[in-house]
Amino acid sequence: MKPIINHRGPEFRDLYRGLIEKVKFVFQTKGDVFILSSSGTGAVECAIGNITSTGTKILVPTYGVFSKRLHDSVATFGGKAIEIPVEWGDAPTSHQIEEALQREKDIAAVAIVSNETSTGVRVKDLEVIGKICADYGSLLIVDAISNLGGDYLPVDEWGIDICATGVQKCLMTPPGLALVSISEKAWDKIKETRRSCYFDLQAYKRYQAELETPYTPALNLYYALNEALDMIREEGLERRFKRHKVCANAIYAGIESMGLIGFAKPEVRSNTVIAVKNPAGIADKELRDILREKYRIIIAGGMGKLKGSTFRIGSMGSVSRFEVLATISALEYTLLELGWASDLGTGLEAAGRILAQLG
Ligand SMILES: Cc1ncc(COP(=O)(O)O)c(C=O)c1O
């Protein structure tokens, strides 16, 4: 609703200066950060495109739709993706990464999705993976689209060289902006790489010195992001991460006590996306239709090879006890209506007990 301002004028510079500082706070980095006018995929493409030349070797663990997409994007820039296939529902480990780095030579980067949205799985030892990448002289690129701002993910402390995210998930902003952070080590590689036009990070850096962007920014979304980042600062990162974890745990407890089964292995399950196996004999489309039409609760279906066998509950951004309890309760009523469940309240009680940790 705010007026459009000149994106090469003083008001924009004030907005942009503040935004850069707030984005650095959320990424927990002192390195460079850039705001791209694109969805999250733009930030991932920017990360890969700015470090990949013909034959550049990039190691990519694949454990779902988005990590597979990350893997495939390497070839778009003439790079050579080396895949570490991981069973869906499980997460790649630092051990697997180290083994591959030992086996393969000249790996320029390890590119990894930190939270696989399609399977509801989170990589648990990213910090160790960061140390291993540093030891082997490889860059660490992270697609943190579905958990940056929801999970503890300190970019500098964990040695993440390029971290990419979208604003529409844990950062509570309407879709259309993506964010990337760049370490000093990553700049060395970027400088020697032929790069794309729209996502040319060197141009972004040059323009940022004048508090401008190379191309017209999605200004209205900058206002929205600014507000969301202020809300995040007011809440505080630690409280925010705890809220995400408690809400996710409450959903897991709720569904399990109803007799449903999570898709991810318990030790690697996500704090922001809860993937659930379809109850026997129930099509998730039918379940999701009732939830949407009768209870105004929208959950997602399965993706890729999990389409039709799982559904997914987003638990991120401004998620609170209200959304958790409403979702679990509506799920109970829906499963009763579909004839799968025979009682009400067990899921709600289990979720409620966990939510008490929010204080
Ligand atoms: C892990 C991950 N990577 C990439 C994407 C693609 O992001 P976008 O749809 O914003 O381009 C998503 C979207 O859900 C995602 O969850």
Side-chain angles (χ1 to χ4, degrees), residues 38-44 63 65-67 69-70 113-118 143-147 164-169 175-178 273 303 312 316:
S38 76
S39 78
T41 305
V44 176
Y63 60 116
V65 172
F66 293 104
S67 43
R69 197 184 285 176
L70 175 60
V113 171
S114 56
N115 189 74
E116 184 40 91
T117 321
S118 63
D143 166 351
I145 288 178
S146 61
N147 71 334
T165 198
V167 298
Q168 77 275 19
K169 291 211 159 53
L177 293 178
V273 183
M303 289 187 83
R312 294 169 304 143
M316 57 175 77

